[in-house]
Amino acid sequence: MAKDGLLCAPPRLVNNAKHDEQRQDRLARSRWNGADPVMTGLRVVLAEDDVLLREGLASLLERSGYEVVAQAADGTQLLTMARETRPDLVVADIRMPPTHTIEGLEAARIIRQELPDTAILVLSAYVEVEHAMELLAGGAGIGYLLKSRIADVKEFLDAVQRIARGGSVVDPALVQELVTARRRQDPLTVLSVREREVLELMAEGRSNAGIARRLFVTEGTVEKHISSILTKLNLHEADEDHRRVLAAITFLKAR
């Protein structure tokens, strides 16, 4: 049966009571690596088509107390191994054979649907905002990291641990990209702090006199701010009242 571009066997019906009990026991156990507590015994399926990177990650995870129960080189193998082993954590590259597009992401989405208690960490060579946001919308126990973060072993293992415990991890580069994108799309960035304050009061329906009283300035000053706001927002219609409404709508949409 084809599902999301991958050939998928129907999920098997499994009694998970014993597995869940064992997983909670593993989550409760920890050991010390010299600085921070590290969970032990958590079962991991690792998916990466670069053999050297995959083996390196497997070695790193196993030395840190995790049990790598299976390794996959593509999305189809990942799904098969996840269904068979029902791991506590999946670590997968977004781009894998055969098309090197979003095989890992598609597999992660299916795993989250079929095995909602399995934590998922996806790795990417690039910041892919759309794909990352789609994944992160899946709830707790989800992470998105750039492969470059693996070089900082402590940071990488900390992210793995937080995800395995049910937290969410977002690569700082993705956060910066989202902030930058928001700034690019926010029409209010052209306004000064005072002009934003005036516009917010306009959106509340206050008159120029009401705004002046609220900000402890003269009505003339308010009129100058409003004129500047309308110009910066490219609201050039002749009807002054209509322009104020459009400005208020712009403010509300940007919230």
Side-chain angles (χ1 to χ4, degrees):
M1 177 178 65
K3 184 173 184 180
D4 291 324
L6 296 173
L7 292 176
C8 311
R12 297 181 301 168
L13 296 177
V14 178
N15 185 341
N16 292 317
K18 184 176 180 180
H19 170 76
D20 291 341
E21 181 179 347
Q22 292 172 338
R23 181 175 188 272
Q24 291 304 316
D25 179 61
R26 290 192 295 272
L27 285 170
R29 297 200 311 267
S30 67
R31 67 180 178 85
W32 289 85
N33 64 359
D36 302 308
V38 177
M39 290 180 294
T40 60
L42 289 185
R43 302 164 65 256
V44 181
V45 168
L46 182 59
E48 165 63 57
D49 62 300
D50 184 321
V51 177
L52 291 178
L53 177 57
R54 187 174 72 236
E55 291 293 340
L57 283 172
S59 177
L60 173 62
L61 291 170
E62 288 174 343
R63 291 199 312 270
S64 301
Y66 296 90
E67 179 187 358
V68 179
V69 294
Q71 297 184 34
D74 58 51
T76 302
Q77 288 181 3
L78 171 56
L79 279 175
T80 299
M81 292 174 179
R83 287 166 175 156
E84 290 178 353
T85 63
R86 308 184 73 84
D88 302 300
L89 171 68
V90 165
V91 180
D93 186 9
I94 282 184
R95 298 175 182 269
M96 290 189 291
T99 66
H100 291 279
T101 53
I102 58 171
E103 284 82 3
L105 187 68
E106 291 181 341
R109 186 169 61 243
I110 295 171
I111 291 169
R112 175 44 60 107
Q113 291 172 350
E114 297 182 4
L115 306 172
D117 291 332
T118 296
I120 298 173
L121 169 61
V122 297
L123 304 174
S124 177
Y126 312 99
V127 177
E128 302 175 272
V129 174
E130 182 179 352
H131 295 160
M133 295 307 294
E134 178 184 350
L135 176 74
L136 294 169
I142 293 286
Y144 176 98
L145 285 180
L146 292 180
K147 290 184 177 180
S148 58
R149 302 292 171 191
I150 300 172
D152 188 330
V153 173
K154 187 175 185 299
E155 180 181 358
F156 174 70
L157 290 176
D158 177 67
V160 170
Q161 182 175 353
R162 281 185 283 152
I163 294 165
R165 288 189 181 277
S168 296
V169 173
V170 181
D171 194 282
L174 175 62
V175 174
Q176 185 58 47
E177 182 68 22
L178 291 172
V179 170
T180 301
R182 179 176 177 82
R183 286 173 179 167
R184 287 197 300 263
Q185 297 167 6
D186 185 358
L188 305 185
T189 55
V190 297
L191 304 182
S192 68
V193 174
R194 176 59 86 182
E195 287 168 346
R196 280 175 174 261
E197 292 174 344
V198 171
L199 180 56
E200 181 174 0
L201 294 172
M202 288 171 59
E204 293 177 4
R206 298 181 185 274
S207 64
N208 288 5
I211 295 173
R213 286 193 299 270
R214 186 69 176 269
L215 299 179
F216 302 102
V217 298
T218 66
E219 286 190 49
T221 298
V222 172
E223 290 173 0
K224 289 180 181 178
H225 283 314
I226 292 176
S227 177
S228 176
I229 291 169
L230 298 177
T231 298
K232 289 181 178 180
L233 296 182
N234 295 315
L235 301 174
H236 301 300
E237 287 80 1
D239 187 336
E240 189 70 20
D241 289 337
H242 183 53
R243 295 171 72 193
R244 289 178 71 104
V245 171
L246 292 176
I249 291 173
T250 301
F251 172 80
L252 294 173
K253 284 183 175 179
R255 296 287 286 183

